[in-house]
């Protein structure tokens, strides 16, 4: 395992230490870039993210978005992009 800056994936394990500092998750966009907002929140609160390469997770890819129209997904992605730009500047 090792610390990482930005997680990308389907599962995060948040510890009680996270919730001692953070009372809620901050994610201004839904389904897109939520990993970016969570990573920023963890860093801003003095925490770290650890990557465990031996952990196995069964992930049903795109189950949340498979029934959405392309236009809806595009609008959500567009909103997420504009909100997340500030984290990369």
């Amino acid at each position: 395992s090792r610390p990482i800056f930005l997680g990308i994936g389907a599962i995060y394990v948040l510890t009680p230490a996270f919730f001692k500092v953070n009372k809620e998750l901050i994610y201004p966009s839904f389904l897109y870039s939520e990993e970016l907002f969570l990573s920023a929140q963890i860093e801003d609160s003095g925490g770290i993210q650890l990557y465990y390469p031996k952990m196995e997770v069964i992930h049903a890819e795109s189950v949340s978005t498979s029934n959405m129209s392309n236009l809806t997904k595009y609008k959500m992605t567009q909103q997420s992009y504009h909100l997340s730009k500030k984290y990369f500047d």
Side-chain angles (χ1 to χ4, degrees):
S1 67
R2 57 172 271 166
I4 58 172
F5 171 71
L6 175 63
I8 298 176
I11 186 168
Y12 288 80
V13 177
L14 300 174
T15 65
F18 174 84
F19 291 104
K20 285 181 183 176
V21 177
N22 300 282
K23 301 302 177 202
E24 61 184 23
L25 297 174
I26 300 170
Y27 53 100
S29 67
F30 180 65
L31 294 177
Y32 295 100
S33 298
E34 66 273 11
E35 298 101 334
L36 173 64
F37 298 117
L38 178 57
S39 295
Q41 185 175 4
I42 291 169
E43 183 179 1
D44 291 347
S45 63
I48 61 168
Q49 294 181 82
L50 296 175
Y51 170 66
Y52 291 100
K54 293 183 180 182
M55 181 182 279
E56 293 186 32
V57 175
I58 297 172
H59 178 216
E61 183 69 35
S62 300
V63 163
S64 300
T65 59
S66 61
N67 293 324
M68 289 181 181
S69 72
N70 287 337
L71 180 59
T72 299
K73 288 189 273 192
Y74 172 78
K75 288 180 179 180
M76 291 174 75
T77 304
Q78 186 180 40
Q79 176 195 23
S80 170
Y81 170 76
H82 290 296
L83 291 169
S84 63
K85 266 179 51 172
K86 70 178 183 175
Y87 290 97
F88 290 111
D89 288 344

